[in-house]
Amino acid sequence: MSGIVSYLKGQAAEERIAQDYQSRGFQIVARRWRGAHGELDLILRRGRETIIVEVKSSKTLARAMESLGMRQIRRILASAGDFIDHLPGGGLSDLRIDVAAMDGSGRIQIVENALNA
């Protein structure tokens, strides 16, 4: 059961965070985009800027943010590299990677450009 519960909590966090970005004028390009190196939770666009969002959820915001390890960061960066190839400007595209966390009571914290590579 805990695997299903974790999955559903993750989906709820993605939805809540996607709604937050949309309320600020971002458009959803893709959810759970899969490339050769793994999955990207959310891909958004506003104007010429593309934003990749890694979503984390846990009991507390601090715990959610701390759950992002180096192995996962490397996977996200590699997957972002895969995705960049699909953008019209390729490697010259305006791209940032945010990390967004949601705690058990639905509060969110977004760190913009968290994985500046």
Side-chain angles (χ1 to χ4, degrees):
M1 273 297 221
S2 67
I4 293 170
V5 171
S6 293
Y7 175 77
L8 293 174
K9 283 182 181 180
Q11 280 193 317
E14 280 182 25
E15 182 59 32
R16 168 77 171 86
I17 288 165
Q19 288 173 356
D20 178 80
Y21 275 95
Q22 285 180 305
S23 74
R24 294 184 287 129
F26 292 87
Q27 295 178 314
I28 297 173
V29 173
R31 293 175 188 250
R32 293 179 283 290
W33 182 88
R34 186 161 285 284
H37 293 93
E39 187 177 276
L40 299 171
D41 293 334
L42 293 171
I43 301 172
L44 309 159
R45 184 164 291 132
R46 183 169 64 180
R48 297 167 93 169
E49 183 178 36
T50 300
I51 300 91
I52 293 171
V53 182
E54 175 64 20
V55 176
K56 307 302 287 177
S57 65
S58 192
K59 245 179 198 172
T60 68
L61 291 171
R63 230 172 166 179
M65 288 292 187
E66 290 168 357
S67 70
L68 185 62
M70 281 309 298
R71 181 174 175 211
Q72 194 172 24
I73 290 170
R74 284 192 292 273
R75 179 198 52 79
I76 293 165
L77 293 174
S79 296
D82 293 340
F83 183 75
I84 283 174
D85 292 339
H86 297 341
L87 295 175
L92 299 175
S93 299
D94 189 8
L95 176 79
R96 76 172 199 241
I97 302 173
D98 295 356
V99 175
M102 187 173 90
D103 71 10
S105 57
R107 287 179 300 185
I108 63 171
Q109 177 183 4
I110 297 172
V111 179
E112 292 182 359
N113 209 28
L115 303 182
N116 185 4

